[in-house]
Amino acid sequence: MAELNSKVPKGPLTSKWSHYKDHQNLVNPSNKRKLDIIIVGTGLAGSAAAASLGEMGFNVKIFCYQDSPRRAHSIAAQGGINAAKNYPNDGDSIYRLFYDTIKGGDYRARESNVYRLAEVSNNIIDQCVAQGVPFAREYGGSLENRSFGGAQVSRTFFARGQTGQQLLLGSYGALSRQIKLGTVKLYDRHEMMDVVLVDGKARGIIARDLVTGKLERHFGHAVVIATGGYGNVFYLSTNAMGSNTSAIWQIFKKGAWFANPCFTQIHPTCIPVHGDYQSKLTLMSESLRNDGRIWVPKRKEDAEAHRQGKLKANDITEENRDYFLERRYPAFGNLVPRDVASRAAKERCDAGFGAGSTGLAVFLDFRESIGRLGKHVIEERYGNLFQMYEKIVDENPYENPMMIYPAVHYTMGGTWVDYELQTSVTGLFAAGEANFSDHGANRLGASALMQGLADGYFVLPYTIQNYLAGEIRVARMSTDKAEFAEAERGVQTRLEKLMAVKGTRSVDHFHKELGKIMWEYVGMARNEAGLKKAIELIRKLRAEFWKDVKIPGTMQELNTELEKANRVADFLELGELLAYDALNRNESCGGHFREEYQTDEGECKRNDEDYKYVAAWEYKAEGEFILHKEPLDYEEIEVKQRVYK
Amino acid sequence: MDLTLKIWRQKDAKSAGKFVTYPLKNISPNCSFLEMLDILNEQLIQKTEEPVVFDHDCREGICGMCSLYINGRPHGPDDAVTACQLHMRKFSNGDTIVIEPWRARPFPVIKDLMVDRSAFDKIIQEGGYISVNTGGAAEANNILVGRENSELAMDAAACIGCGACVAACKNASAMLFVSAKVSQFALLPQGQVEAKQRVKKMVRMMDELGFGNCTNTYACEAECPKLISRSNIARMNREFMCAKVI
């Protein structure tokens, strides 16, 4: 496993994917029935892949920790999904979507994967419409688009502020149809604990039935991990409470390399933190930046007065407002990409212009657009978001500007995969947010849904077949095999070890402490000294965790504290790798901002000479990782400084 | 604020449950309801007692996982929100809050406040989709959908499958849930081909699983966190009658 082989097909960029499909190996229908595929996770990537592979005739087993596949966190995506349909006739094309995505990712994504993503984007919209996804429509009945950050065209399809929900319910419907037909078997309230390798190939998983606590062995000719991102390593994030890194961390320990862990996305428009009891952060969709203007007071004394509750935002006059995104980035204005908007907000707050009781908030103001379009238009576009804001903050955003602040939202890094979405372990695949491949150092808005569905509907069903064509002679294996027994024993031992600690502090205590370290030193701005300190602190915290964590109850029953402890144990290891990767990358790019590497204007200073590569880490031992580099060669695109001015 | 909580505790599906009273002090009014339960659980863990088990995940009102019956109302006293978006400012200092699981025969209790809602998945598996394979779709704009129907379909599709409608109904009827899915597809051209089979199969499964009949009290609509309209039930009844008769 010394060489990284990304298996990018030869030939011109625009025909790589069609060439691949024309020449790949296929499995005939009678053999498909004999092949089992395990899919972990029921979000867009997992459910779309399971449905598609089931339709093709494979036997699929799908697992989720929630009570139903429909709960996966893809459901929470608000704003939309990108595609290069060019319905508004504003100059969009597959090439432009590809270009914007590469540029948006600050030239740290694999060109061939991104081009394929842009290519299949249009099929996704067709598929979803056929499924009955109620996208927004024009009065003539055709599909409506809106604009999103990082693009100068309107290519985002949406279903009010619930696009993720509607797309997930579409793929959940397709999955449900296959469950009924018997091609897919669903295991809900099950958590994957480990992957099982036989002769170096992935051949199954160990899962825990969360209701009974029993460990189960499941065989598959191939295994797909579609368990989402690892943003909860920061404790507070926009992820669901159960979102975790355990699946991708366990496969990492079994040989699936982890790429670019330091590429994490901080979303600019979230509801600010309000108290130490807080369990999660709520996103306000990027689409709001279409009509909302972001500002802080121009005068420090006004910001100070607002923090003390002596001055209301509406009483600050127009000339005393600093629309800092419009000022700094006139070409893109409020619609600059997320990393740029987040850093600009942090810069203003750090300089003393922040609002709200903590001083860590900026305004998102709809006064002008309400004046221009009328309240009813804003209500139609963003009604559910405004309602959500009012319920949480107890303030009416139609009358007072929203207060927002950046928060951890998405992780571009993830399991390293080749062009076929296969990890560095044969027969083990990773799809959706769980893999690293398409977003480089920063993801553009409305591209996560696109990637999840692209992987699930249109990429994996082809590429996994290419692998399985070579496995048709492999009979179903008994799970009594030594490899399964050994993997189960490993899981059993780990859980026993957790239960045996019987310490004094709760799992949440450790998770919150980890989150504080991560946000402070590995958050929006990083530097060498801070990262070194973070590594030291995480190691110390991890040692404490294994000495002092307290888990009531037993292993042989439903035990939510044990579930959390198992996940936090993995976050405590991942946090270290994340800091390690950030320390290794001596440049600023996308969501990774190293204070030592910035221009005079405070923008990212990339170092293409030394860091134009994917950092793929191999697990050696706890706290010991080996770096492998996949060079990023751009054939089609000229690598430039990313400018939104 | 200081509160008294009366919480349903039940070891597992087979054991009998009971209410247990817990005093809880110093809760911020800005705390969410589930964060208030987190604080209680932290205190229980410190006393080496088992924390209260409840379903939750996204905590932003969209995944549909949280399912608490609070002071006799699904998702509690606020309108149009799930329990995860309910905030303690809706309560007063000194309040006693009674917290129960959804109570309906098709939703058996798993532990404490957690129930099994896989019956909803079974209903969807009967026909809560359009049967189209991946890759077989036509160009999206070939299917035109009038804005009015598209908006109504979206209103129905907003259902999060939490089960509050069943919990609120004295008959444990799932009519609001089922009719929301039936309506979404009945309103769209894509849904027409399978419309008759869909409504018949879904209704049959709903009955088989033990959900009760609708007796038009509309408690479901009143308690729905996503404001799903009862007119969907009327639409489903019409679809069902047509499917049976024609």
Side-chain angles (χ1 to χ4, degrees):
Chain A
M1 258 200 307
E3 275 298 298
L4 273 179
N5 181 2
S6 55
K7 290 197 239 159
V8 175
K10 299 260 177 294
L13 185 66
T14 52
S15 57
K16 281 183 197 295
W17 181 230
S18 54
H19 185 269
Y20 177 91
K21 287 193 292 182
D22 288 344
H23 296 88
Q24 70 162 116
N25 296 315
L26 298 173
V27 180
N28 89 19
S30 65
N31 282 329
K32 282 184 185 135
R33 287 195 291 273
K34 296 179 199 155
L35 293 167
D36 299 347
I37 301 169
I38 286 176
I39 297 177
V40 187
T42 59
L44 290 181
S47 60
S52 307
L53 292 164
E55 288 160 9
M56 290 160 76
F58 291 104
N59 288 299
V60 181
K61 286 180 169 185
I62 191 162
F63 296 79
C64 64
Y65 71 78
Q66 300 93 338
D67 72 331
S68 163
R70 66 181 293 155
R71 315 282 187 216
H73 201 55
S74 305
I75 200 132
Q78 297 168 352
I81 177 166
N82 287 330
K85 287 281 194 187
N86 193 29
Y87 288 155
N89 195 28
D90 55 2
D92 202 8
S93 64
I94 288 169
Y95 185 86
R96 210 175 270 277
L97 172 55
F98 154 72
Y99 177 82
D100 286 347
T101 307
I102 291 275
K103 178 189 172 192
D106 217 352
Y107 305 93
R108 289 293 175 268
R110 192 188 286 147
E111 205 179 31
S112 55
N113 287 50
V114 178
Y115 194 84
R116 175 177 66 190
L117 175 68
E119 257 181 303
V120 302
S121 67
N122 292 341
N123 301 100
I124 297 171
I125 302 304
D126 297 342
Q127 188 65 33
C128 294
V129 167
Q131 288 171 348
V133 169
F135 283 121
R137 302 259 168 186
E138 304 286 356
Y139 281 102
S142 58
L143 290 151
E144 187 182 347
N145 289 108
R146 65 181 168 204
S147 50
F148 246 63
Q152 287 173 314
V153 294
S154 295
R155 63 160 71 101
T156 304
F157 294 79
F158 62 101
R160 292 196 194 142
Q162 294 119 285
T163 316
Q165 179 199 27
Q166 293 311 313
L167 296 178
L168 185 67
L169 292 181
S171 59
Y172 160 73
L175 171 65
S176 297
R177 175 170 160 244
Q178 294 307 309
I179 293 171
K180 175 73 185 173
L181 292 169
T183 60
V184 180
K185 187 155 168 45
L186 168 69
Y187 295 85
D188 55 26
R189 294 198 194 270
H190 274 66
E191 183 144 25
M192 168 180 154
M193 305 301 287
D194 205 354
V195 65
V196 181
L197 307 187
V198 178
D199 300 328
K201 291 180 175 179
R203 292 297 189 198
I205 64 166
I206 305 298
R208 182 166 180 267
D209 179 330
L210 298 179
V211 175
T212 63
K214 284 203 180 76
L215 295 179
E216 298 173 358
R217 305 172 188 185
H218 294 275
F219 167 79
H221 287 87
V223 176
V224 178
I225 305 296
T227 53
Y230 49 88
N232 271 348
V233 69
F234 291 86
Y235 184 69
L236 285 180
S237 81
T238 64
N239 285 3
M241 300 302 288
S243 300
N244 66 80
T245 193
S246 289
I248 55 175
W249 195 254
Q250 292 309 322
I251 64 168
F252 176 55
K253 288 182 156 182
K254 289 280 173 90
W257 298 351
F258 203 127
N260 300 335
C262 79
F263 289 165
T264 51
Q265 178 166 80
I266 315 280
H267 197 293
T269 53
C270 299
I271 298 177
V273 178
H274 53 77
D276 58 3
Y277 48 79
Q278 195 161 354
S279 58
K280 84 154 269 158
L281 296 170
T282 304
L283 175 78
M284 288 285 107
S285 167
E286 177 160 315
S287 60
L288 293 170
R289 289 198 268 144
N290 272 305
D291 290 307
R293 298 176 71 194
I294 294 179
W295 62 277
V296 289
K298 206 177 257 175
R299 301 187 305 193
K300 268 194 187 159
E301 57 268 33
D302 287 351
E304 181 68 33
H306 188 271
R307 290 199 285 273
Q308 291 165 352
K310 290 179 193 157
L311 181 66
K312 289 205 160 73
N314 281 337
D315 295 334
I316 299 172
T317 55
E318 198 57 33
E319 64 272 18
N320 287 323
R321 297 175 174 203
D322 174 18
Y323 296 93
F324 55 94
L325 290 177
E326 296 169 31
R327 169 171 58 79
R328 285 181 67 178
Y329 308 100
F332 281 70
N334 291 296
L335 284 173
V336 289
R338 293 174 177 174
D339 55 332
V340 177
S342 292
R343 267 197 300 280
K346 177 176 160 41
E347 187 276 328
R348 283 293 80 191
C349 291
D350 289 352
F353 296 94
S357 57
T358 59
L360 292 175
V362 300
F363 297 114
L364 176 61
D365 201 332
F366 292 86
R367 190 169 67 178
E368 195 219 64
S369 52
I370 289 173
R372 179 164 44 89
L373 304 163
K375 188 185 161 195
H376 67 284
V377 175
I378 297 300
E379 197 170 353
E380 198 180 286
R381 286 184 189 166
Y382 314 109
N384 68 319
L385 298 169
F386 276 52
Q387 183 226 21
M388 198 196 287
Y389 182 87
E390 187 169 359
K391 292 286 182 193
I392 294 172
V393 183
D394 204 20
E395 211 173 58
N396 182 348
Y398 293 101
E399 284 159 19
N400 301 296
M402 287 185 181
M403 280 196 285
I404 52 155
Y405 197 67
V408 175
H409 180 55
Y410 186 89
T411 52
M412 284 74 68
T415 302
W416 183 87
V417 289
D418 60 22
Y419 188 73
E420 297 184 303
L421 304 185
Q422 188 162 207
T423 69
S424 51
V425 173
T426 309
L428 183 60
F429 296 76
E433 191 180 349
N435 75 28
F436 88 102
S437 72
D438 294 355
H439 306 297
N442 173 59
R443 179 176 66 73
L444 290 183
S447 283
L449 301 181
M450 173 172 68
Q451 187 223 337
L453 289 180
D455 287 0
Y457 285 134
F458 297 109
V459 181
L460 257 186
Y462 288 92
T463 61
I464 207 168
Q465 208 178 160
N466 192 43
Y467 168 72
L468 288 173
E471 301 295 309
I472 51 173
R473 284 173 198 85
V474 178
R476 283 195 181 105
M477 291 175 191
S478 158
T479 54
D480 294 335
K481 258 177 119 60
E483 288 87 346
F484 280 89
E486 196 192 325
E488 187 186 310
R489 230 178 358 259
V491 173
Q492 179 82 14
T493 310
R494 172 181 158 109
L495 294 177
E496 280 167 3
K497 203 174 147 199
L498 279 169
M499 294 304 298
V501 178
K502 294 195 191 308
T504 63
R505 284 177 291 178
S506 70
V507 178
D508 282 357
H509 163 82
F510 289 100
H511 199 174
K512 283 181 187 177
E513 285 303 306
L514 174 65
K516 280 182 205 154
I517 298 169
M518 296 303 292
W519 184 245
E520 175 77 20
Y521 301 107
V522 201
M524 253 191 292
R526 304 157 173 176
N527 62 55
E528 186 181 339
L531 290 167
K532 285 184 173 157
K533 177 137 197 221
I535 292 171
E536 194 189 305
L537 290 171
I538 294 167
R539 283 187 182 165
K540 218 172 112 209
L541 185 66
R542 191 164 67 223
E544 272 172 42
F545 172 86
W546 284 101
K547 273 200 301 243
D548 199 25
V549 69
K550 183 172 187 173
I551 308 167
T554 69
M555 274 167 65
Q556 291 81 21
E557 60 178 340
L558 192 148
N559 188 335
T560 47
E561 287 301 305
L562 178 60
E563 291 165 28
K564 282 197 280 185
N566 185 58
R567 295 168 190 159
V568 171
D570 291 332
F571 279 131
L572 281 163
E573 293 183 32
L574 165 75
E576 185 178 354
L577 177 66
L578 212 160
Y580 222 84
D581 185 44
L583 190 59
N584 169 68
R585 196 168 277 280
N586 290 309
E587 65 165 348
S588 294
C589 59
H592 169 62
F593 190 72
R594 283 281 301 270
E595 286 166 343
E596 304 97 313
Y597 308 102
Q598 51 180 311
T599 65
D600 296 339
E601 291 159 314
E603 305 293 340
C604 278
K605 203 163 157 189
R606 252 184 14 234
N607 177 352
D608 292 332
E609 194 78 20
D610 300 315
Y611 293 98
K612 204 173 66 170
Y613 65 73
V614 174
W617 297 91
E618 180 185 353
Y619 182 83
K620 187 89 188 332
E622 193 178 308
E624 262 185 76
F625 315 106
I626 301 168
L627 174 64
H628 300 266
K629 298 175 185 176
E630 181 197 337
L632 292 166
D633 301 317
Y634 291 97
E635 296 169 22
E636 196 71 30
I637 276 186
E638 187 199 343
V639 178
K640 294 192 284 205
Q641 202 205 336
R642 195 165 151 241
V643 181
Y644 291 97
K645 291 175 189 288
Chain B
M1 56 176 78
D2 296 345
L3 305 162
T4 303
L5 305 175
K6 289 182 133 179
I7 301 179
W8 184 259
R9 302 300 309 256
Q10 183 172 337
K11 191 171 169 31
D12 53 40
K14 289 175 194 133
S15 309
K18 62 168 195 267
F19 280 106
V20 178
T21 305
Y22 301 96
L24 195 60
K25 290 191 186 330
N26 282 329
I27 296 297
S28 157
N30 291 325
C31 193
S32 80
F33 197 83
L34 300 190
E35 285 163 354
M36 181 275 292
L37 287 178
D38 291 342
I39 294 169
L40 170 71
N41 277 344
E42 182 68 36
Q43 294 177 5
L44 292 177
I45 293 165
Q46 285 312 320
K47 289 190 271 181
T48 323
E49 284 178 38
E50 277 204 49
V52 177
V53 171
F54 58 95
D55 264 328
H56 64 104
D57 204 21
C58 78
R59 295 206 178 187
E60 50 187 282
I62 193 75
C63 77
M65 200 133 168
C66 60
S67 47
L68 301 176
Y69 204 75
I70 302 161
N71 286 346
R73 291 185 64 185
H75 297 302
D78 203 358
D79 291 328
V81 290
T82 53
C84 66
Q85 293 211 292
L86 173 65
H87 281 72
M88 296 313 291
R89 65 180 82 96
K90 294 286 166 189
F91 298 89
S92 309
N93 187 30
D95 275 2
T96 295
I97 307 176
V98 181
I99 312 170
E100 299 168 75
W102 283 174
R103 298 212 188 266
R105 199 172 303 136
F107 291 164
V109 172
I110 294 173
K111 185 169 182 175
D112 296 342
L113 304 169
M114 181 187 275
V115 299
D116 179 355
R117 282 168 291 185
S118 51
F120 270 10
D121 287 329
K122 292 198 182 85
I123 296 172
I124 296 293
Q125 284 158 18
E126 283 302 299
Y129 43 76
I130 288 163
S131 300
V132 53
N133 280 1
T134 303
E139 153 60 36
N141 257 348
N142 284 352
I143 304 168
L144 298 179
V145 184
R147 187 151 177 159
E148 193 183 336
N149 269 15
S150 151
E151 291 293 308
L152 283 172
M154 181 61 217
D155 288 343
C159 168
I160 57 173
C162 64
C165 47
V166 175
C169 178
K170 60 180 179 167
N171 307 323
S173 171
M175 288 288 271
L176 194 67
F177 169 77
V178 181
S179 69
K181 195 42 83 181
V182 167
S183 286
Q184 178 194 342
F185 294 131
L187 287 157
L188 296 171
Q190 302 95 302
Q192 299 313 310
V193 179
E194 299 168 286
K196 286 180 185 171
Q197 287 305 314
R198 176 179 302 115
V199 67
K200 282 197 283 190
K201 283 188 193 165
M202 288 178 76
V203 168
R204 192 195 304 132
M205 180 53 78
M206 172 179 87
D207 291 344
E208 266 175 33
L209 291 166
F211 291 100
N213 281 325
C214 174
T215 45
N216 302 305
T217 62
Y218 309 131
C220 51
E221 182 191 65
E223 299 294 17
C224 175
K226 296 295 154 185
L227 305 172
I228 304 294
S229 162
R230 64 193 189 214
S231 58
N232 290 305
I233 297 178
R235 189 178 293 107
M236 179 167 83
N237 283 335
R238 181 182 176 281
E239 290 285 315
F240 186 75
M241 293 304 282
C242 290
K244 282 284 190 189
V245 174
I246 306 166

